[in-house]
Amino acid sequence: MKIGVSSCLLGTQCRYDGVGSKDSFVVEELSKYFELVPYCPEAIIFGTPRESIRLVDVEGEVRVISNKEHRDVTKELSDISKTLALEAFEENLCGFVFKAKSPSCGIERVKLYENNSNMCEKKAVGLFAQAVKDKQPLLPIEEDGRLNDPWLKENFLMQIFAYADLRKFLDDTPTFKALVEFHTSYKYLIYAKGQASYKKLGAIVANHDKKSLEEVLEEYKYNFLLAISEKGNINKTYNVLLHIFGYFKKLINKDEKEHILTACQEYKDGIIPLIAVVKLLNLYVKRFDDKYLKVQKFLNPYPKELALRSDLKAYK
Ligand code: SF4
């Protein structure tokens, strides 16, 4: 599985000032699970070190201007960005981590300056990030800065692992039966993202209109990628926990029921992390050997070593 990254996040000394911006989560954690594919549009066309650049609003159009010589380098940066975005597409990436705030790599809130002024608003997108988004609108993307937020990090990791899973499933020449199995395993994870997506995907798989396998897979792929791009929250996750509890409630005694319900409530109240409840539920899944729950990705969405669900702040 491959993930694209802004080269400077690996510590490569490709920034305009000749240094890197090594990100420890990318280098030490993501690299354990993904092959990291580096991209730096600016170093390719301008070399390193180089004059810094900024995004400038020139009569309503975003231009890229160098800071010292005031050269307009929009075309050069735009062309290399499109070329690299195409290369990224051909690499079959499962996600991309961009460097925040950069006029090339920032995915949001990049400074856009007024023409001939130092006044700016944080409202632009870097040219390379935009080119990647244009080429692959549903590719999971994040920035280094935003990944310091445990909630965004958990959502992003869940999204890229699900994205990689879907890709593998589609590459294995799927059948209708395989689609039902794949969808079944994602039911509660999707439910935790949003009920509308859950219903939509269920209807696609049911295929009441008797569409061809190709049509159904195409529709499923698009809507699945949309669903996993939604952010989960405490209330939606709490509902899923209660649904899963529903599978055991007639099979366990009063004390056990109370124990599970208290854990779910404590998670909802921000007292215990999600992993504590999931571990408890997994005990019952094992005890009753529930085949349906055993395959649910919601209960094991990514390698447990990432420990994302151990953080109370991973859910809002
Ligand atoms: S932010 Fe992007 S363009 Fe700038 S140094 Fe890093 S990888 Fe290169």
Side-chain angles (χ1 to χ4, degrees):
M1 295 188 290
K2 294 178 184 174
I3 285 193
V5 288
S6 293
S7 300
C8 54
L9 293 178
L10 298 178
T12 309
Q13 298 178 333
C14 57
R15 278 176 32 141
Y16 74 96
D17 52 4
V19 299
S21 296
K22 185 173 167 185
D23 182 277
S24 56
F25 176 68
V26 171
V27 175
E28 286 150 31
E29 293 295 320
L30 284 186
S31 62
K32 289 182 193 161
Y33 309 101
F34 301 97
E35 181 186 336
L36 304 178
V37 186
Y39 296 85
C40 179
E42 290 181 32
I44 294 173
I45 49 173
F46 305 129
T48 306
R50 58 185 171 273
E51 201 184 335
S52 61
I53 53 174
R54 60 166 64 176
L55 300 181
V56 180
D57 184 339
V58 181
E59 294 174 5
E61 200 184 323
V62 177
R63 308 296 301 179
V64 187
I65 310 289
S66 70
N67 278 324
K68 264 192 197 156
E69 295 177 6
H70 305 292
R71 278 192 307 131
D72 186 324
V73 292
T74 313
K75 179 160 176 17
E76 293 97 309
L77 192 60
S78 176
D79 287 351
I80 189 66
S81 294
K82 285 178 190 157
T83 302
L84 292 183
L86 180 61
E87 283 181 29
F89 172 72
E90 287 166 352
E91 280 282 3
N92 283 332
L93 304 176
C94 299
F96 210 117
V97 183
F98 288 99
K99 176 82 189 96
K101 299 178 187 165
S102 150
S104 298
C105 292
I107 66 172
E108 61 166 29
R109 294 175 49 78
V110 177
K111 285 179 183 170
L112 179 64
Y113 287 85
E114 288 178 15
N115 202 7
N116 300 318
S117 158
N118 271 332
M119 301 279 285
C120 68
E121 274 188 77
K122 291 179 182 172
K123 61 178 188 181
V125 177
L127 266 64
F128 176 47
Q130 187 61 56
V132 171
K133 282 197 212 186
D134 289 345
K135 190 73 196 158
Q136 302 186 76
L138 292 172
L139 183 72
I141 60 168
E142 262 306 346
E143 290 183 331
D144 58 328
R146 283 166 53 95
L147 288 175
N148 291 326
D149 178 327
W151 178 64
L152 291 174
K153 189 197 272 186
E154 202 277 341
N155 273 282
F156 180 59
L157 267 294
M158 186 183 274
Q159 190 187 1
I160 50 180
F161 275 98
Y163 189 99
D165 244 9
L166 179 78
R167 166 157 292 150
K168 186 174 177 311
F169 162 70
L170 292 174
D171 285 349
D172 286 350
T173 49
T175 58
F176 273 119
K177 184 170 174 281
L179 176 62
V180 171
E181 279 168 18
F182 179 85
H183 178 63
T184 299
S185 71
Y186 269 96
K187 271 191 174 171
Y188 280 128
L189 189 144
I190 298 293
Y191 199 88
K193 293 288 183 182
Q195 285 198 27
S197 297
Y198 176 80
K199 281 185 190 158
K200 176 95 188 170
L201 286 166
I204 293 169
V205 174
N207 193 21
H208 293 308
D209 297 336
K210 304 273 180 248
K211 292 180 181 167
S212 69
L213 178 61
E214 288 69 28
E215 276 179 286
V216 171
L217 289 175
E218 204 46 51
E219 220 180 312
Y220 187 85
K221 176 184 171 187
Y222 175 74
N223 284 283
F224 180 87
L225 295 181
L226 267 188
I228 61 171
S229 70
E230 290 180 54
K231 303 275 185 276
N233 64 34
I234 284 192
N235 283 335
K236 289 191 262 187
T237 306
Y238 174 72
N239 279 340
V240 170
L241 297 174
L242 291 187
H243 270 277
I244 294 175
F245 163 70
Y247 282 80
F248 318 120
K249 72 177 178 191
K250 292 198 176 132
L251 304 170
I252 56 182
N253 66 35
K254 189 166 162 280
D255 286 347
E256 289 170 324
K257 271 186 218 168
E258 256 179 45
H259 188 50
I260 297 177
L261 287 174
T262 303
C264 292
Q265 190 60 44
E266 286 180 352
Y267 159 71
K268 195 180 181 196
D269 294 340
I271 298 167
I272 61 172
L274 180 60
I275 192 64
V277 192
V278 166
K279 275 209 158 290
L280 183 59
L281 290 174
N282 267 329
L283 275 179
Y284 287 92
V285 171
K286 207 169 172 194
R287 174 167 149 194
F288 296 111
D289 195 24
D290 192 298
K291 305 271 184 300
Y292 181 74
L293 292 178
K294 261 185 167 174
V295 298
Q296 289 305 314
K297 291 282 180 183
F298 173 84
L299 292 169
N300 295 295
Y302 36 66
K304 62 178 188 288
E305 291 77 11
L306 281 164
L308 301 168
R309 288 172 155 185
S310 306
D311 193 331
L312 276 179
K313 296 193 185 106
Y315 289 85
K316 289 184 182 173

